[in-house]
Amino acid sequence: MHKRQFLAAAMTAATVPAMARAAPPALRGPALLTVTGSVAKPNRGPFDAVRDQMMHKQKISFERARAFDFTALTALPAHTIRPTLEYDGKAHALRGPLLLDVLMVAGAPQDDAVRLLLRGVDGYAAALTVAQARAQRFIVATHLDGQAMALGGLGPLWAIHDADRIAAVAALPLAERFASCPWALYHIGVEAG
């Protein structure tokens, strides 16, 4: 190999890893969901007591995180479920990406034993494992009956499973089927072994 070709090849090889580590695209809107803990693909820096007031009040702290806006979440493949909801006893269509797809984008480990803490804006938190999220096909719902969910209702995000189609959950009284499904989801803590 000629010296000039060698240098060109070396320069190309040196830039490929840098491109692979390129920063994720900037958010187009406000962050609706923040994933913290074991996150290999962060797009924001550490906890800020002023900027992150709700997290501060709920005693959440982190060194790095992956934030998602509405555009980032709706760009992921969407899945639709139709559970009967406890609020009116009727089936509703909820659409959004799989929870595990959101975690994959964040670079969170996908091992079955990884623990997840899903937290709503009211402070309600539900703990589950990646194995449970996978088996119950949790989604991060962005839409209810074809409409984007608003803050002040069940949204703008809702971590939810199709309770009617999970035998162990469907056997529970309707009011108990969604205990692991915080509405107004805004934070996911990921804890690897």
Side-chain angles (χ1 to χ4, degrees):
M1 180 183 283
H2 297 296
K3 185 176 183 179
R4 195 170 278 173
Q5 290 172 324
F6 173 78
L7 289 173
M11 292 293 289
T12 300
T15 60
V16 169
M19 289 187 304
R21 290 189 311 263
L27 299 180
R28 295 182 187 161
L32 297 181
L33 178 64
T34 303
V35 181
T36 64
S38 297
V39 175
K41 298 177 185 174
N43 65 352
R44 67 155 287 179
F47 167 81
D48 179 309
V50 173
R51 180 175 149 192
D52 300 313
Q53 273 296 300
M54 190 176 309
M55 291 182 202
H56 176 68
K57 290 185 186 317
Q58 295 178 358
K59 300 187 182 351
I60 298 169
S61 185
F62 53 89
E63 290 302 315
R64 61 188 189 162
R66 180 65 180 237
F68 293 85
D69 62 11
F70 191 76
T71 300
L73 291 167
T74 57
L76 296 172
H79 298 266
T80 300
I81 61 175
R82 290 179 174 77
T84 301
L85 298 182
E86 63 183 295
Y87 307 111
D88 63 2
K90 297 178 183 176
H92 291 272
L94 288 126
R95 185 179 80 236
L98 290 172
L99 174 60
L100 292 183
D101 287 350
V102 173
L103 295 175
M104 187 179 306
V105 171
Q110 302 283 308
D111 302 330
D112 284 352
V114 171
R115 292 176 21 96
L116 308 172
L117 186 63
L118 312 176
R119 183 166 303 183
V121 297
D122 62 353
Y124 183 81
L128 63 148
T129 63
V130 164
Q132 290 169 308
R134 182 178 294 115
Q136 296 183 5
R137 294 190 51 81
F138 266 79
I139 67 169
V140 175
T142 57
H143 290 77
L144 173 67
D145 296 330
Q147 300 292 315
M149 291 186 293
L151 182 62
L154 297 169
L157 306 175
W158 189 1
I160 188 168
H161 54 208
D162 198 344
D164 296 355
R165 281 143 197 84
I166 304 166
V169 178
L172 297 171
L174 187 57
E176 297 175 19
R177 293 181 188 175
F178 300 99
S180 60
C181 303
W183 44 264
L185 176 75
Y186 86 101
H187 175 257
I188 301 173
V190 180
E191 186 182 310

